[in-house]
Amino acid sequence: MAAALGDPVRHALEAVLDAVRDRTDGAVADYIPELAKVEPEQLGAALASTHGVVHEAGDCDAEFTIQSVSKPFVFALAVDALGLDEVRRHVDLEPSGEPFNAISLDEASGRPRNPMINAGAIVMTSLMPGDTADEKFAVVLAGIERFAGRDLPVNEEVYSSEASTGDRNRALAYLTRSAGTLGAAVEVATLAYFRQCSISVNARDLAIMAATFATGGVNPLTRERVISEDAARWTTAVMTSCGMYDESGDWMVRVGLPAKSGVGGGIAAVQPGQFGIGTFSPRLDARGNSVRGVATLELLSERHGLHMLQHHGAPLSPIASLSRVEAGDADGGSDGDTVVALRGEILFSEAEEILTRLAPLVGDRGCLVLDFTAVTRVAAGARTIFSALPDTMGRLADGRSRVAVHDPDQVLGAAER
Ligand code: GLU
């Protein structure tokens, strides 16, 4: 069966790559000679689902340096380890609307505008544990490898070039240091950051790394929890507002996927709860985003309705059926009770629907039995609404609750993933 079906998702990716292949505008990054040497025609896209399936099209094995695509992952490691409040003492979370290497610091606090531009990213790297650049980089690399689910090499040539030409980044680091936000000496922070930018990845790695945000922090292939659900959500939020440099607002309207690009030609994009996409094509537009990577994600989003804020239509009601239990029925209730079969995933709005529709049915005539057998998950925000339910609804004359819960799999009591 699988062979007959082939891989329709790969075909969809291939079709999009074919449609953008003739975009030869833009230029490969040339601020260091190693990047200028990259073969400009390379083009690849991979999609990793939250179920752990990876679909690949084009040059998905071609390696390139991760560059700024590393920034959200290091931010995620920082908030995971230190908490949001501590990280916020060092960096703001506001879109700067300025280029990646802008001297963008808040006038009053001296904090970089956000962790997706260089100033903020260098500060994030400086907060990694360790005293030396090597120690800090070891933490960064180990973290990024857990996102990717494999060992990743460092492109030493790119690293030496970045380190010998990176004076603008050093200048940014000095500014943050003088403002009191850098967590290490300038040379420690910048050398670790240059190595971080020089990690080699491919489009498949970026898809899996992005999918790890999509699952809420669990690598969908290794099943390892890499960061907390909070850290994944916070990071995806920052990617939404700040990920595409000074093109972030336009990108959100046209593509609608939280993303991060790098001057190596990579882009990692996230559809929360669904998948991650990695693209690679080295020619960049004036803002430093991969021309064909942007075109690929734009077309994919348009063709397949991937925009995060896409209207999804009326949701399936969480109430599958309502039935009265007559004498002789064995529906989980007693004679005269009403059994409400619930289904699917119950988030806040489903809980709201269930309780609003059922409130008028709670009377003296019998017990309302909420049957959670076919419910797959009750989100924490919905669970709090249900928790007080049986008691607040009072008791029947015979002492039984007016509302009872039948929850054989304990989805109401289960700890959140
Ligand atoms: N190594 C580059 C720098 O820090 C990365 C920039 C980027 O990918 O946007 O300037």
Side-chain angles (χ1 to χ4, degrees):
M1 197 55 172
L5 273 179
D7 180 350
V9 176
R10 174 163 57 81
H11 294 319
L13 292 172
E14 276 166 352
V16 168
L17 294 189
D18 287 343
V20 306
R21 204 174 300 274
D22 61 0
R23 288 286 304 269
T24 54
D25 48 316
V28 300
D30 59 0
Y31 68 93
I32 51 174
E34 283 64 32
L35 289 180
K37 282 190 279 188
V38 167
E39 163 54 58
E41 283 308 320
Q42 298 177 98
L43 175 63
L47 183 150
S49 76
T50 48
H51 308 293
V53 180
V54 186
H55 309 270
E56 299 175 50
D59 300 319
C60 282
D61 293 331
E63 301 224 326
F64 52 94
T65 48
I66 189 168
Q67 300 290 352
S68 286
V69 186
S70 60
K71 291 171 181 172
F73 299 96
V74 176
F75 172 74
L77 295 173
V79 284
D80 192 58
L82 304 172
L84 190 58
D85 289 346
E86 174 60 15
V87 169
R88 291 272 286 98
R89 293 199 321 110
H90 295 265
V91 71
D92 286 336
L93 303 176
E94 293 305 327
S96 68
E98 289 179 311
F100 67 96
N101 59 2
I103 302 173
S104 187
L105 306 176
D106 181 84
E107 269 177 37
S109 68
R111 284 191 293 266
R113 278 292 184 196
N114 68 66
M116 301 294 116
I117 54 171
N118 287 10
I122 294 166
V123 170
M124 291 302 101
T125 306
S126 80
L127 297 181
M128 293 292 111
D131 296 327
T132 64
D134 283 349
E135 286 169 7
K136 287 186 186 296
F137 174 69
V139 176
V140 166
L141 181 64
I144 290 187
E145 286 178 339
R146 291 168 74 211
F147 277 105
R150 72 170 183 117
D151 292 347
L152 297 169
V154 171
N155 184 324
E156 296 293 344
E157 288 77 39
V158 169
Y159 168 68
S160 340
S161 275
E162 295 272 3
S164 59
T165 62
D167 287 340
R168 188 178 175 95
N169 283 326
R170 289 188 179 88
L172 291 172
Y174 274 111
L175 285 172
T176 59
R177 177 92 179 154
S178 73
T181 57
L182 196 71
V186 166
E187 211 50 15
V188 168
T190 50
L191 288 181
Y193 170 77
F194 295 140
R195 264 190 111 64
Q196 168 188 323
C197 288
S198 308
I199 295 171
S200 250
V201 290
N202 57 38
R204 179 188 160 88
D205 294 324
L206 294 189
I208 296 167
M209 292 167 72
T212 302
F213 286 144
T215 61
V218 175
N219 181 312
L221 277 91
T222 64
R223 307 305 309 168
E224 182 189 2
R225 175 162 288 287
V226 180
I227 47 162
S228 68
E229 212 171 292
D230 284 344
R233 189 179 65 254
W234 294 330
T235 308
T236 311
V238 176
M239 291 168 84
T240 305
S241 57
C242 312
M244 296 299 278
Y245 304 128
D246 35 342
E247 200 182 336
S248 297
D250 202 41
W251 170 269
M252 243 321 120
V253 173
R254 285 182 298 118
V255 182
L257 295 172
K260 185 73 202 85
S261 63
V263 297
I267 302 179
V270 184
Q271 171 57 275
Q274 297 185 26
F275 54 76
I277 298 179
T279 64
F280 169 53
S281 185
R283 287 196 206 89
L284 310 178
D285 62 20
R287 283 150 160 171
N289 295 322
S290 163
V291 171
R292 286 157 154 184
V294 168
T296 297
L297 283 154
E298 200 173 331
L299 194 53
L300 268 176
S301 177
E302 186 186 309
R303 277 193 186 171
H304 301 288
L306 306 185
H307 197 292
M308 187 170 67
L309 302 176
Q310 185 84 27
H311 178 59
H312 291 298
L316 193 69
S317 171
I319 300 173
S321 66
L322 274 175
S323 48
R324 294 284 296 171
V325 182
E326 306 302 342
D329 280 3
D331 257 353
S334 315
D335 189 12
D337 289 348
T338 301
V339 176
V340 185
L342 304 174
R343 65 182 166 195
E345 191 178 20
I346 296 184
L347 310 180
F348 176 83
S349 62
E350 283 78 18
E352 183 273 340
E353 181 185 345
I354 292 166
L355 296 178
T356 310
R357 281 189 49 195
L358 299 186
L361 303 180
V362 179
D364 293 327
R365 294 206 308 142
C367 180
L368 198 62
V369 181
L370 301 185
D371 183 0
F372 281 77
T373 308
V375 169
T376 50
R377 172 173 168 257
V378 181
R383 195 174 305 152
T384 45
I385 298 186
F386 281 117
S387 56
L389 190 69
D391 292 339
T392 56
M393 296 292 186
R395 303 203 158 257
L396 294 166
D398 63 5
R400 289 190 301 141
S401 289
R402 288 216 169 96
V403 177
V405 164
H406 180 56
D407 181 19
D409 296 330
Q410 300 199 324
V411 285
L412 272 173
E416 274 289 75
R417 231 174 13 110

